[in-house]
Amino acid sequence: MKNNNLFAALRAAFPKDLDAVAVETDTGLNYSWRDLERATAMMANLLQSLDLPQGARVAVQVEKSVEALMLYLATLRAGYVFLPLNTAYQSAEIEYFIGNAEPSVVVCSRKNFGWVSKIAFKAGTQNVFTLDDDRTGSLLDRAAHCSDRHEVVQRSADDLAAILYTSGTTGRSKGAMLSHGNMLSNALVLKDYWAWQPGDVLIHALPIFHVHGLFVAIHGALINGSKMIWLARFDPKLVVQKLPEATVFMGVPTLYVRLLAEPGLTREACRHMRLFVAGSAPLLIETFTEWQERTGHTILERYGMSETAMLTSNPYDGERRGGTVGFALPGVSLRVQDDAGQPVPTGEIGSIQVKGPNVFRGYWRMPEKTKEEFTADGYFKTGDVGKIDERGYITIVGRSKDLIISGGYNVYPAEIEGYINDMPGVAESAVVGVPHPDFGEVGVAIMIAKPGAKLDGEQIIARLKAQLANFKIPKRCFIVGELPRNTMGKVQKNVLREQHKALFA
Ligand code: MLC
Ligand code: AMP
């Protein structure tokens, strides 16, 4: 029987020369393909020795490292479900994810072991390991005693490979369940669409707990047997320094904005580069054009989401149109509908719906929510609003979901408002996204005080910082007498956005 385990496909693409460099780090370490093979085998054997139930989740909140990458691959290899968690998440956020996903294994950094293990044990997790970015931790200590031979566990295309939490517009985050088939189909389509070639080298500068860095970048390189230059964090100077050794780069728009501020970013530095990919948030046309002028390269913008991996892309050969996200990828069916569920005419705006082998298996333990997000004929409602022009190029013009995308990270106003509203003296709050030159968009909080109460914006921000991931913290806080409302009494966020749109201009 064919093994549809994603890891089996990735491993089959390893080059013949297993001693060649697979990953080169910014600290000067080289990992060979053999290292990846052996270390993932050892970690997979460790996971399997724990006697975990079928479909067990392995939740991981660790700093970016090659060992963290190996842990991801080992989890696939052993047939378990990988659950990556942003390192910015704090205890209340982690408590929710662990409580909801009930992972059998939790891996965290040593400095967080105290509070993370407490949360994990409370949720019934029996195995908590540590893993740090200096190649230490109990996970590696334990794996060192395991065999470096391991047969990739048999998985069907529909079996779960990962759960990615994506915040909800109302209520708490939802875990998007992605299967081995979802991810392999997407990886294969992108390998072809972006014309990955022998000898390609990817600069990997993104975090590895979301779709862009974890799936698009890693799967892209591995399924092509390509080396990665692995940067623990995005450092524009280092990226510019490494460009001459690379051919492919992927980033959220903020990364491109920051690279453009580097004088070293020249045509000469990009002489071996073949492809620059952008996505996760809208790429401003100014950035697209300036990049073209400075480097001679046209950024290829694509569009996707946690629930679907990649959906559309500008062409590799053919015109890459700034401000658009290109065409639906092969195998993806994409349509734009009006509120009545009818297709809109060419060039008109509507809701984007998608279908395809890449579309997720539903939200973890939320069958009702899953049902709501699909149409009767099986299309997933992305929550994005867009249009398709006469040549078939798709443009995202907005979102029907109340979502801020800041530096490529999603921030759900409802979540932040909930925290602010719970603070003493706050009557009501509204969080809106406003344009920002670096992050594209950032959150701003506007609130009214309860009668007689006095609020202090700085104190509110300080309190939020103690509870939430740093990228979710509103960059400004305003206390006002009243919030603009429509005739139904609903807060008019569009008015607030308009009022504050020039704050960071
Ligand atoms: C950091 N800060 C942010 C922020 N990142 N504020 C708003 N939005 C962000 N994204 C703030 C911190 O709170 C802190 O504030 C200060 O900036 C410095 O923090 P830092 O951690 O040192 O920041 P930095 O390293 O500069 O990070 C910026 C960044 C990072 C752009 C490199 O945010 C990043 O890697 N973004 C990429 C996200 C990504 O991979 N998205 C893909 C999602 S997948 P203070 O006040 O505490 O000093 C997806 C699907 C798809 O969307 O289609 O791909
Ligand atoms: P996430 O939930 O983190 O996976 O974020 C997915 C969302 O990011 C999508 O629904 C879009 O709103 C947005 N997005 C991704 N790529 C692009 C893009 N190229 N242009 C505009 N928005 C994008």
Side-chain angles (χ1 to χ4, degrees):
M1 197 173 82
K2 183 171 182 278
N3 189 355
N4 287 299
N5 188 316
L6 169 64
F7 181 80
L10 299 177
R11 192 176 69 165
F14 283 13
K16 275 209 188 69
D17 178 9
L18 287 180
D19 294 317
V21 176
V23 188
E24 174 193 312
T25 71
D26 48 5
T27 52
L29 294 177
N30 283 335
Y31 292 75
S32 67
W33 295 94
R34 196 183 305 283
D35 293 334
L36 289 191
E37 162 58 23
R38 289 187 57 227
T40 57
M42 291 161 87
M43 287 188 204
N45 279 322
L46 168 61
L47 292 174
Q48 281 186 265
S49 73
L50 301 174
D51 205 17
L52 310 176
Q54 178 88 353
R57 278 78 59 208
V58 177
V60 178
Q61 189 195 33
V62 297
E63 296 298 332
K64 183 176 175 183
S65 68
V66 180
E67 287 67 30
L69 159 67
M70 289 164 163
L71 174 57
Y72 164 56
L73 297 174
T75 305
L76 295 175
R77 183 171 188 155
Y80 299 120
V81 181
F82 193 70
L83 197 171
L85 295 165
N86 195 320
T87 45
Y89 293 147
Q90 303 208 44
S91 57
E93 291 155 312
I94 294 295
E95 194 167 1
Y96 171 75
F97 295 126
I98 291 184
N100 188 253
E102 296 181 348
S104 299
V105 178
V106 170
V107 184
C108 64
S109 49
R110 208 166 351 183
K111 71 175 188 328
N112 295 339
F113 180 79
W115 63 268
V116 173
S117 59
K118 225 181 256 167
I119 290 172
F121 293 141
K122 206 172 104 193
T125 307
Q126 284 178 353
N127 307 283
V128 182
F129 296 105
T130 58
L131 176 63
D132 278 331
D133 55 2
D134 59 355
R135 292 182 293 150
T136 62
S138 59
L139 181 89
L140 299 179
D141 293 345
R142 289 281 299 274
H145 297 288
C146 298
S147 164
D148 62 0
R149 288 176 179 268
H150 175 267
E151 196 167 328
V152 181
V153 169
Q154 192 80 26
R155 277 293 166 261
S156 79
D158 283 342
D159 283 332
L160 287 197
I163 296 180
L164 295 191
Y165 274 87
T166 110
S167 301
T169 9
T170 52
R172 303 308 296 257
S173 288
K174 303 166 292 200
M177 301 188 288
L178 290 150
S179 67
H180 287 265
N182 288 149
M183 301 208 275
L184 181 56
S185 65
N186 211 236
L188 291 172
V189 163
L190 292 177
K191 173 173 156 51
D192 210 36
Y193 208 75
W194 293 345
W196 279 86
Q197 297 167 10
D200 268 336
V201 175
L202 171 81
I203 296 183
H204 193 300
L206 286 162
I208 55 167
F209 27 68
H210 296 294
V211 167
H212 201 158
L214 184 62
F215 299 154
V216 190
I218 290 175
H219 297 166
L222 294 185
I223 202 110
N224 193 51
S226 278
K227 178 173 124 175
M228 286 188 266
I229 297 178
W230 189 260
L231 309 187
R233 57 189 304 273
F234 172 69
D235 170 352
K237 283 200 173 31
L238 194 53
V239 171
V240 168
Q241 194 188 319
K242 291 289 174 191
L243 278 175
E245 298 165 37
T247 63
V248 183
F249 178 79
M250 297 183 190
V252 301
T254 301
L255 270 51
Y256 286 95
V257 170
R258 292 189 183 181
L259 283 168
L260 280 167
E262 286 301 317
L265 180 77
T266 58
R267 281 175 189 245
E268 176 59 14
C270 299
R271 63 193 177 277
H272 299 309
M273 286 300 292
R274 182 176 71 73
L275 181 62
F276 288 97
V277 177
S280 310
L283 181 74
L284 290 183
I285 194 79
E286 293 82 358
T287 313
F288 176 85
T289 312
E290 201 183 332
W291 193 269
Q292 238 168 4
E293 286 162 3
R294 276 280 284 289
T295 68
H297 285 272
T298 307
I299 296 174
L300 179 153
E301 187 173 0
R302 79 346 173 244
Y303 154 65
M305 56 197 305
S306 303
E307 289 91 335
T308 63
M310 295 305 98
L311 290 165
T312 78
S313 171
N314 269 279
Y316 182 72
D317 291 314
E319 191 192 352
R320 298 177 197 163
R321 297 187 108 183
T324 82
V325 293
F327 309 108
L329 287 167
V332 174
S333 169
L334 182 148
R335 68 188 186 192
V336 181
Q337 293 216 331
D338 63 19
D339 290 344
Q342 294 304 313
V344 300
T346 303
E348 288 194 16
I349 291 169
S351 304
I352 297 179
Q353 300 179 349
V354 295
K355 202 179 199 174
N358 51 316
V359 175
F360 74 138
R361 321 297 309 163
Y363 293 112
W364 172 254
R365 292 182 180 162
M366 290 188 184
E368 287 308 312
K369 190 75 202 155
T370 302
K371 216 165 138 202
E372 274 171 35
E373 300 301 328
F374 281 86
T375 62
D377 59 348
Y379 278 76
F380 173 62
K381 304 174 192 168
T382 63
D384 292 307
V385 174
K387 59 184 181 180
I388 308 180
D389 72 14
E390 67 295 337
R391 291 173 58 191
Y393 285 87
I394 299 154
T395 302
I396 313 289
V397 298
R399 305 168 201 126
S400 58
K401 50 198 175 192
D402 190 10
L403 161 71
I404 300 166
I405 304 185
S406 186
Y409 285 140
N410 286 5
V411 180
Y412 279 85
E415 183 186 13
I416 321 298
E417 289 159 4
Y419 276 87
I420 299 176
N421 295 345
D422 280 347
M423 291 182 193
V426 176
E428 194 181 352
S429 66
V431 172
V432 295
V434 300
H436 189 274
D438 183 32
F439 293 121
E441 202 178 13
V442 294
V444 169
I446 302 110
M447 66 204 68
I448 43 182
K450 282 186 179 151
K454 251 201 144 14
L455 295 177
D456 175 345
E458 272 178 35
Q459 220 171 53
I460 302 242
I461 298 271
R463 281 195 179 162
L464 287 175
K465 276 191 177 173
Q467 294 173 292
L468 287 167
N470 59 7
F471 62 87
K472 297 181 187 172
I473 310 302
K475 300 285 183 214
R476 293 279 174 83
C477 195
F478 296 97
I479 292 120
V480 297
E482 56 186 318
L483 291 167
R485 293 178 195 278
N486 65 15
T487 47
M488 310 288 288
K490 204 169 166 260
V491 174
Q492 291 171 300
K493 289 203 164 178
N494 54 334
V495 174
L496 291 172
R497 270 191 286 270
E498 191 58 29
Q499 281 171 358
H500 296 285
K501 71 175 182 200
L503 261 183
F504 302 96

